[in-house]
């Protein structure tokens, strides 16, 4: 079946005949219009690439600064926690206090047992 379809298809197609006419160089070359269009395209792609690199560098710098600020904030909180625990222990010796200065052994208001 395939051979029949292939034979019919090949028989139905026309074979192009070569012409001996010389070609016109103006028809085959892009000329100055094509040169300027290609140059404009290259310039546009270059400008877009430069803009992309600038924006990427700016975003990386912002990320680095944000990361540094977060690291400094964590260090500051750790220092405050250490100094807060030391101050709390020094101010009330013998009482157990957590980082916020609350005594965990003491009942909070409203935690009393109901009266019968």
């Amino acid at each position: 079946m395939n051979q029949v379809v292939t034979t019919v298809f090949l028989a139905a197609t026309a074979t192009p005949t070569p012409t001996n006419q010389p070609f016109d160089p103006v028809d085959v070359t892009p000329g100055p219009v094509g040169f300027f269009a290609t140059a404009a395209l290259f310039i546009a792609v270059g400008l877009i690439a430069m803009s992309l690199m600038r924006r990427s560098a700016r975003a990386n710098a912002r990320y680095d600064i944000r990361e540094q600020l977060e690291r400094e904030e964590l260090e500051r909180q750790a220092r405050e926690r250490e100094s807060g625990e030391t101050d709390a222990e020094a101010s009330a010796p013998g009482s157990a206090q957590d980082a916020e200065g609350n005594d965990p052994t003491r009942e909070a208001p409203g935690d009393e047992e109901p009266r019968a």
Side-chain angles (χ1 to χ4, degrees):
M1 179 73 179
N2 279 342
Q3 291 177 345
V4 174
V5 173
T6 306
T7 307
V8 171
F9 181 71
L10 289 176
T13 57
T15 306
T17 58
T19 59
N20 292 333
Q21 299 175 354
F23 64 91
D24 187 12
V26 174
D27 292 338
V28 228
T29 60
V33 174
F35 171 76
F36 288 120
T38 306
L41 184 65
F42 284 148
I43 290 171
V45 168
L47 292 174
I48 290 172
M50 286 174 37
S51 175
L52 177 66
M53 289 189 314
R54 257 194 342 219
R55 290 174 189 262
S56 177
R58 192 178 305 149
N60 286 338
R62 287 180 182 165
Y63 176 77
D64 291 342
I65 290 171
R66 186 179 310 126
E67 192 175 67
Q68 181 182 3
L69 289 174
E70 288 175 0
R71 200 171 32 243
E72 289 174 0
E73 179 67 22
L74 289 174
E75 290 172 359
R76 185 187 61 80
Q77 288 175 357
R79 281 194 307 267
E80 285 180 358
R81 206 171 342 166
E82 289 173 2
S83 66
E85 289 175 0
T86 306
D87 292 344
E89 291 172 359
S91 65
S95 69
Q97 293 182 346
D98 59 1
E100 289 82 26
N102 300 325
D103 188 359
T105 58
R106 188 172 171 198
E107 292 183 9
D111 286 346
E112 301 98 17
E113 294 181 21
R115 295 182 190 174

